[in-house]
């Protein structure tokens, strides 16, 4: 089990990570989400041992993760960390980059291992191409293959799909996370992409200003967000009172609703004025106004500008 206990850290006197505590079971895939600057990348670096904690401890089983004060070469040997800069060797081939840390004692096994990893990241045809001639997305896929070459116990991924085209990203994610799950590798992925959390992560950690404000099953966090901040990390969100959508008795509940949770009907209680229709392929995202504030909902067709419609919970 990976245990982070009361971890705090700052590059200066200002703390970036503030008394963070959580546990991760072996073989779990955990997404760490939050706005830019919330501390996602820093947290992964601390778990890997690139920095020394100001306070707290990080444990993998019975082994304490220690930083540069204790290690000549920072980083724990049973972990692998993929940073956003890839750090490939530009003048050697893709295959040589992937196999850089594999032993040459068994050349056939090494060749087969490199081929397996290149197939996972869909870079087989580029095996003999030098890294300097690859696009950013291709370099990112090679970097992914390289961190898997010597299978780690813990894999830390910092925005691992940020440079990869959408049409390749979806297949790559399926291949990669299926492989990691089959191998029982514990994964923490810092990401801006809600698909990483909802489709592939067992649990999601929500960071805000260096603090964990939510942790749990990814679907639960999506379906019942504790704050507008958490909900907004998954897309557009509306902050509404239940009384705006239906007549109620008793306490008026504050709701955080996604666009698909609102539906256009005749004679609904909430009246809004349409301002813009955005085509999304399978539906339109409608931006409307109510009392000077924006509200978003989905509809199967575009709606006329300045048309008044009424909404209910779908």
């Amino acid at each position: 089990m990976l245990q982070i206990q009361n971890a705090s850290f700052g590059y200066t006197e200002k703390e970036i990570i503030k008394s963070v505590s959580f546990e991760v079971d072996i073989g779990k895939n955990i997404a760490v989400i939050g706005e830019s600057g919330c501390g996602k990348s820093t947290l992964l670096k601390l778990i890997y041992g690139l920095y020394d904690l100001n306070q707290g401890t990080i444990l993998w089983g019975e082994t304490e993760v220690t930083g540069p004060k204790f290690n000549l070469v920072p980083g724990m040997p049973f972990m692998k960390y993929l940073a956003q800069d890839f750090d490939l060797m530009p003048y050697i081939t893709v295959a040589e980059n992937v196999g850089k840390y594999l032993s040459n004692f068994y050349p056939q096994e090494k060749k087969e291992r490199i081929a397996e990893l290149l197939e996972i990241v869909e870079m087989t045809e580029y095996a003999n191409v030098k890294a300097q001639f690859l696009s950013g997305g291709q370099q990112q896929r090679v970097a992914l293959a390289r961190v898997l070459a010597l299978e780690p116990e813990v894999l830390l991924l910092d925005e691992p799909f940020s440079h990869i085209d959408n049409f390749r990203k979806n297949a790559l994610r399926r291949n990669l996370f299926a492989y990691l799950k089959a191998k029982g590798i514990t994964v923490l992925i810092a990401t801006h992409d809600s698909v990483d959390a909802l489709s592939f992560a067992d649990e999601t950690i929500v960071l805000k200003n260096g603090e964990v404000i939510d942790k749990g099953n990814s679907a639960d966090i999506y379906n019942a967000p504790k704050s507008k901040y958490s909900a907004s990390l998954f897309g557009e969100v509306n902050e509404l009172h239940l009384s705006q959508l239906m007549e109620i008795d008793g306490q008026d509940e504050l709701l955080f609703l996604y666009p698909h949770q609102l539906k256009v009907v005749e004679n609904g209680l909430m009246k809004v004025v349409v301002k813009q229709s955005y085509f999304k392929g399978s539906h339109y995202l409608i931006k409307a106004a109510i009392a000077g504030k924006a509200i978003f909902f989905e509809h199967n067709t575009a709606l006329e500008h300045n048309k008044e419609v009424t909404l209910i919970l779908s």
Side-chain angles (χ1 to χ4, degrees):
M1 179 182 290
L2 179 66
Q3 300 177 71
I4 290 81
Q5 302 171 344
N6 198 35
S8 295
F9 172 79
Y11 298 101
T12 61
E13 291 184 359
K14 181 181 178 181
E15 287 189 334
I16 303 297
I17 299 297
K18 305 171 185 176
S19 301
V20 166
S21 298
F22 61 88
E23 296 179 349
V24 179
D25 290 333
I26 293 174
K28 293 293 186 181
N29 179 356
I30 308 298
V32 182
I33 63 174
E35 64 186 352
S36 296
C38 70
K40 300 188 299 295
S41 296
T42 300
L43 178 60
L44 294 196
K45 292 174 182 177
L46 290 170
I47 293 172
Y48 186 50
L50 292 183
Y51 302 121
D52 295 297
L53 291 170
N54 292 351
Q55 68 176 36
T57 57
I58 298 174
L59 299 169
W60 174 244
E62 301 298 321
T63 304
E64 183 174 359
V65 173
T66 52
K69 289 180 180 178
F70 303 91
N71 301 301
L72 183 62
V73 179
M76 304 305 290
F78 48 84
M79 295 186 183
K80 285 290 183 291
Y81 167 66
L82 179 60
Q84 295 186 46
D85 59 7
F86 315 148
D87 192 32
L88 298 179
M89 300 290 289
Y91 304 116
I92 63 176
T93 68
V94 165
E96 289 168 336
N97 266 286
V98 173
K100 181 179 178 182
Y101 301 111
L102 293 175
S103 172
N104 291 316
F105 196 72
Y106 299 103
Q108 185 58 35
E109 285 82 352
K110 178 177 180 177
K111 182 179 179 180
E112 291 172 358
R113 178 63 174 156
I114 292 170
E116 177 190 19
L117 293 167
L118 290 180
E119 185 175 356
I120 291 171
V121 299
E122 298 182 338
M123 287 293 290
T124 301
E125 61 186 291
Y126 296 91
N128 297 316
V129 176
K130 291 184 178 180
Q132 64 178 322
F133 299 121
L134 301 177
S135 69
Q138 290 169 335
Q139 290 184 30
Q140 194 163 35
R141 284 187 277 155
V142 174
L144 275 168
R146 190 179 65 178
V147 296
L148 292 173
L150 294 172
E151 287 182 0
E153 296 176 46
V154 180
L155 181 60
L156 307 168
L157 302 174
D158 193 355
E159 300 287 355
F161 311 113
S162 58
H163 290 74
I164 299 172
D165 297 330
N166 281 332
F167 78 97
R168 287 197 179 276
K169 184 186 298 184
N170 294 329
L172 176 59
R173 277 193 286 222
R174 288 192 293 269
N175 292 342
L176 177 64
F177 288 121
Y179 176 86
L180 296 173
K181 185 63 70 173
K183 295 292 184 178
I185 296 172
T186 303
V187 184
L188 278 84
I189 172 172
T191 180
H192 282 92
D193 193 334
S194 61
V195 174
D196 294 328
L198 294 177
S199 298
F200 301 101
D202 300 300
E203 293 186 348
T204 292
I205 293 170
V206 180
L207 274 187
K208 183 179 183 182
N209 297 327
E211 298 180 87
V212 174
I213 64 168
D214 206 353
K215 179 182 182 293
N217 179 274
S218 301
D220 291 341
I221 291 177
Y222 175 81
N223 289 320
K226 294 181 179 178
S227 65
K228 186 175 181 181
Y229 174 84
S230 293
S232 68
L233 298 174
F234 298 103
E236 300 287 358
V237 63
N238 304 297
E239 185 176 13
L240 299 170
H241 287 274
L242 184 59
S243 61
Q244 293 177 276
L245 294 162
M246 61 180 64
E247 295 180 358
I248 59 169
D249 295 321
Q251 188 173 1
D252 190 5
E253 185 180 355
L254 181 63
L255 305 175
F256 304 111
L257 300 174
Y258 302 107
H260 73 270
Q261 295 176 294
L262 296 173
K263 180 181 179 181
V264 176
V265 295
E266 294 183 9
N267 303 318
L269 190 61
M270 173 177 261
K271 294 180 180 180
V272 302
V273 178
V274 173
K275 294 301 179 184
Q276 188 69 51
S277 298
Y278 301 97
F279 184 54
K280 293 293 185 177
S282 62
H283 63 275
Y284 282 82
L285 177 68
I286 310 298
K287 179 182 178 181
I290 178 172
K293 294 183 179 180
I295 187 170
F296 296 89
F297 59 94
E298 292 182 3
H299 197 60
N300 58 354
T301 62
L303 295 176
E304 182 182 346
H305 180 68
N306 281 336
K307 179 179 180 179
E308 186 178 82
V309 298
T310 60
L311 304 174
I312 62 168
L313 279 169
S314 63

